[in-house]
């Protein structure tokens, strides 16, 4: 069975924290690939300032230098709100020879009891919780814990920095920075 990590999110924009989380999980769990799955419309977020196509293209820019990272557009292709259970069921149908490892941050581990159809979901996918130094991950669900270096970068901060003409150098890749600038995203 092929071991594949999944990192989902809005990626609005993708940043070095996303890449570091994916690489740490890949190395520590010996995953063959990590698939980045941008959501079309996440169920827990209001209208985004960028299109799904922009976010998909930015992910492609961000991951282009890592042969183990792949873009998967399953949620963008489906359109509408994206629930993890629907995505995992479809991925398992499409790839019955894959074991999927769903990589989530510490904040999401604590939110698992509120996930849509979580009791079924934990039987379909192995959750991987990334833990930063000093944080605790308490859950009754089966979650593999991966320690990662602490990096305090958020997409919200990047959007704000671009909006106010502040540098985002060293927070995301040069290709993502160029895409944001060329397409005048985030009030740039």
């Amino acid at each position: 069975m092929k071991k594949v990590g999944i990192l989902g999110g809005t990626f609005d924009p993708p940043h070095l924290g996303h890449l570091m989380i994916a690489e740490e999980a890949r190395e520590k769990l010996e995953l063959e690939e990590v698939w980045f799955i941008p959501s079309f419309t996440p169920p827990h977020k209001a209208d985004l300032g960028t299109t799904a196509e922009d976010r998909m293209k930015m992910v492609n820019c961000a991951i282009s230098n890592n042969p183990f990272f792949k873009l998967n557009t399953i949620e963008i292709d489906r359109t509408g709100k994206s629930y993890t259970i629907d995505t995992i069921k479809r991925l398992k149908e499409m790839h019955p020879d894959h074991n999927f490892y769903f990589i989530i941050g510490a904040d999401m581990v604590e939110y698992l009891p509120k996930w849509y159809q979580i009791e079924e979901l934990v039987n379909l996918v192995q959750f991987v919780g990334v833990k930063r130094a000093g944080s605790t991950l308490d859950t009754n669900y089966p979650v593999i814990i991966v320690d990662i270096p602490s990096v305090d970068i958020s997409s919200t901060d990047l959007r704000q920095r671009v909006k106010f003409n502040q540098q985002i150098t060293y927070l995301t890749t040069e290709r993502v920075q160029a895409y944001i600038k060329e397409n005048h995203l985030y009030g740039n």
Side-chain angles (χ1 to χ4, degrees), residues 137-157:
L137 297 180
D138 294 324
T139 183
N140 294 325
Y141 293 103
V143 176
I144 296 173
I145 305 301
V146 173
D147 288 314
I148 62 166
S150 184
V151 174
D152 193 17
I153 302 173
S154 76
S155 295
T156 301
D157 182 46

Side-chain angles (χ1 to χ4, degrees), residues 24-56:
E24 288 290 317
R26 186 190 71 77
E27 283 188 354
K28 290 180 177 165
L29 299 177
E30 299 178 350
L31 303 174
E32 294 175 57
E33 295 177 346
V34 176
W35 295 355
F36 286 70
I37 302 181
S39 7
F40 182 77
T41 305
H44 60 284
K45 291 196 179 181
D47 187 39
L48 302 173
T50 53
T51 66
E53 183 177 348
D54 280 327
R55 293 181 291 106
M56 179 182 65

